[in-house]
Amino acid sequence: MLDILGTGLEYIWKEVDRISNISSESTQKTLIYNLPSISEGEDYIINNEARKFDWSKLYGTLGEGEYEFILSDDNSLAIRVLFTISSDGKLVYDEPIF
C-alpha cells in the first residue's frame, strides 16, 4: 500500500551526483515556434514556446536504474516524471504528474 504522507520506501530517492557546478537554469534553451496561418473564424490554441534542457554537462550520462525528474518554479507549480533506463539504454517513463 502506498504511503500518502510520502514517507514509505517508494519515496526514498538519492539525487544523482553532479559532475559540474553549473546551475540547472543555465542548461535550458527556449525554443520558439512559428504559428501556422489561421483564418479569422478558426479556434486555435497558442502554444508557441517550449523549453529544452540538456543536463549532460551537469549530471553526465545516466546509467541503468529508476529515476524521478521534478521541475518546479517559484509559484509552486511542478511537473514530476518517473522513468527507468534499462541495461540496453532504453527509456520508459510514466505519464507526467502536475
Side-chain angles (χ1 to χ4, degrees):
M1 179 175 186
L2 291 177
D3 182 326
I4 61 171
L5 298 176
T7 59
L9 291 177
E10 65 273 10
Y11 293 98
I12 298 174
W13 292 92
K14 178 184 178 249
E15 184 171 343
V16 175
D17 293 330
R18 291 177 177 226
I19 60 170
S20 170
N21 288 331
I22 63 172
S23 70
S24 58
E25 291 83 3
S26 70
T27 67
Q28 77 174 336
K29 178 180 179 181
T30 301
L31 307 173
I32 305 292
Y33 299 97
N34 291 327
L35 291 175
S37 297
I38 300 172
S39 66
E40 187 176 327
E42 270 185 89
D43 291 333
Y44 59 92
I45 297 173
I46 297 176
N47 187 9
N48 64 339
E49 184 177 301
R51 288 185 176 76
K52 177 180 180 180
F53 294 87
D54 179 357
W55 285 3
S56 59
K57 292 180 182 174
L58 185 60
Y59 292 108
T61 302
L62 298 176
E64 177 183 5
E66 294 180 6
Y67 297 91
E68 175 183 44
F69 172 79
I70 300 173
L71 181 64
S72 61
D73 68 8
D74 295 334
N75 297 318
S76 299
L77 298 172
I79 182 172
R80 177 179 176 221
V81 180
L82 299 173
F83 65 97
T84 303
I85 300 176
S86 66
S87 59
D88 59 355
K90 294 194 182 199
L91 177 73
V92 177
Y93 58 92
D94 293 344
E95 286 292 319
I97 301 167
F98 295 94

